[in-house]
Amino acid sequence: MIVAPKIRGFICTTAHPDGCAKHVAEQIAVVRKRGPIAKGPKKVLVIGASAGYGLASRIAAAFGSDAATLGVFFEKTGEADRTGTAGWYNSAAFEKEAAAAGLYARSFNGDAFSDAMKAEVIAAIKADLGQVDCVIYSLASPRRTHPKSGEVFKSALKPIARSYTNKNLNTTTGVVGEVTIQPAEGDDVAQTVAVMGGEDWEMWIDALLAENLIAPGTQTLAYSYIGPDLTWPIYKNGTIGKAKEDLERVQRELDAKLAPLGGKAWVSVNKALVTQASSAIPVVPLYISLLYMVMKADGSHEDCIEQMDRMFRERLYNDGDPQPDEAGRIRLDDWEMAPAVQQLVIDRWHQVNTENLKELADFDGYQASFLRLFGFGLEGVDYAAETDAATAVPSLA
Ligand code: NAI
């Protein structure tokens, strides 16, 4: 079929198989250009492996460190006349590139929160790899069915205690308006913590430890965000921030559990970037558009792949010098949070409106990045040509 973008608010309901493949190939090229990651991981499990930070982690581990990778994700397959999700096509492309490079890659499509998925992955590790030496936890989900109680939790993106009003960008029209978000009510905080907090990460590591599938020296990471104080009411101090606090609680627990094996658990604070998850957060897309403008101008802009490559190369496998902050977190948001960058972003935040948006913010870059997530706007892809929407992920075929 011929595939064009169909955007509905902050989601694109179509994805282009060849465009996604090109997006993956470009990320692989970034890693290859930087050369091998010395002493990197060799057997890596990525939970949330098909898009954004998780996909970039999988690519950096495989193509920077020659790692065998297992990737877990929740995506929709395509059919001859209906496209699958971008993460499906990304994973198809990743596996093909991995096979061409002689790298083991196996994928699992289903609910990572479930016991069944954990059992499936455990069986695969036993059968194929023996153990893993790195576990990346990069899920972003609006809901979770608890594997023991069956309760369905829904995450909310809300401030706590009082409503929050700030500027907001309509990413389809480019209109800068204002949004007011009502505070969390009822058990919104507990629900969000249940979905995006650390319980499931701990369940994964516990399950792997119980089966002796964690190699000595294993490192495990989950991703977080802090950002500037203008977004704190909706992020750091909001419902999602409470979930990220819970992630740090679990990090300390996992650290203790891995210590006897010489292993380590980390929370890595990453840069704000356009992904399917971040585009759903109010206020954040305007901040990201302003940030991209400043960071592209000063040459410090990175996308998911540059962030994850730097994470493996200069933090996690950097001869024991991951440069943690005072709270023990890895900081890949260091360039985003540089005072000179933040000062410019904040100044422009106060000035920005619909009329001067393109002068002060990289709105074109935001939209281009968003489309690229779904495989659109990539150089060298013939979007007028027929493409195979039923493209398979080889290990799932
Ligand atoms: P994303 O939306 O690009 O990717 C989410 C991944 O989770 C996909 O692979 C998806 O298939 C998988 N997934 C979702 N529900 C699942 C389920 N039930 N079972 C199996 N897989 C499932 O998200 P993004 O932005 O890469 O986020 C990953 C992590 O990074 C999150 O913890 C997020 O908070 C964090 N982060 C994101 C930042 C950003 O600006 N995008 C900044 C800093 C941290």
Side-chain angles (χ1 to χ4, degrees), residues 48 50 52-53 74-75 110-112 138-140 224 244 271-273 275 277:
S50 56
Y53 276 118
F74 208 170
E75 302 293 346
D111 184 8
S138 187
L139 289 187
S224 184
K244 296 300 185 188
K271 177 190 178 189
L273 281 174
T275 65

Side-chain angles (χ1 to χ4, degrees), residues 47-55 72-75 85 87-88 91 108-114 117 137-145 196 200 204 222-226 235 240 244 247 268-279 281 284 288 292 304 307 336 373:
I47 302 153
S50 56
Y53 276 118
L55 172 66
V72 182
F73 47 77
F74 208 170
E75 302 293 346
T85 49
W88 178 261
S91 303
F108 304 83
N109 190 29
D111 184 8
F113 296 126
S114 69
M117 178 55 82
Y137 190 83
S138 187
L139 289 187
S141 174
R143 67 185 64 79
R144 169 177 174 225
T145 303
M196 290 297 287
D200 183 60
W204 271 99
Y223 299 140
S224 184
Y225 183 66
I226 295 177
Y235 204 99
I240 181 74
K244 296 300 185 188
L247 214 54
S268 173
V269 182
N270 299 345
K271 177 190 178 189
L273 281 174
V274 183
T275 65
Q276 291 185 52
S278 70
S279 53
I281 309 175
V284 167
I288 289 181
Y292 276 24
C304 288
Q307 281 264 296
E336 169 184 356
L373 298 178

